[in-house]
Amino acid sequence: MACPKRRTSQARTAKRRANWKLTAPNLVSCPQCHSLKAQHTVCKECGYYKGKEIVKIKAAEAK
């Protein structure tokens, strides 16, 4: 098994891990209800995807 000859310093480790950041999700507005949703997914507010109702939402029925 490989064994390192020298200890890796904290600075060198931190440089390598500098790009481990999280990215914000890319949100788009729903064409039906104009609420923010993730791309290529069914809208959680109205239940529409690509202009078709996929999921019936109870909150929409109560209105």
Side-chain angles (χ1 to χ4, degrees):
M1 204 164 105
C3 197
K5 298 231 181 228
R6 298 272 183 252
R7 180 175 186 261
T8 307
S9 68
Q10 290 178 349
R12 189 174 290 270
T13 306
K15 282 183 200 173
R16 196 172 54 244
R17 292 181 183 157
N19 294 314
W20 281 20
K21 58 188 171 285
L22 295 174
T23 57
N26 193 14
L27 300 176
V28 295
S29 64
C30 175
Q32 296 288 331
C33 64
H34 305 291
S35 64
L36 291 177
K37 69 176 190 81
Q39 290 182 328
H40 309 292
T41 57
V42 176
C43 179
K44 293 179 181 177
E45 300 294 323
C46 63
Y48 275 75
Y49 181 68
K50 289 190 176 180
K52 298 176 189 169
E53 187 177 15
I54 305 297
V55 179
K56 294 199 180 213
I57 305 294
K58 291 182 181 178
E61 294 172 4
K63 291 179 183 178

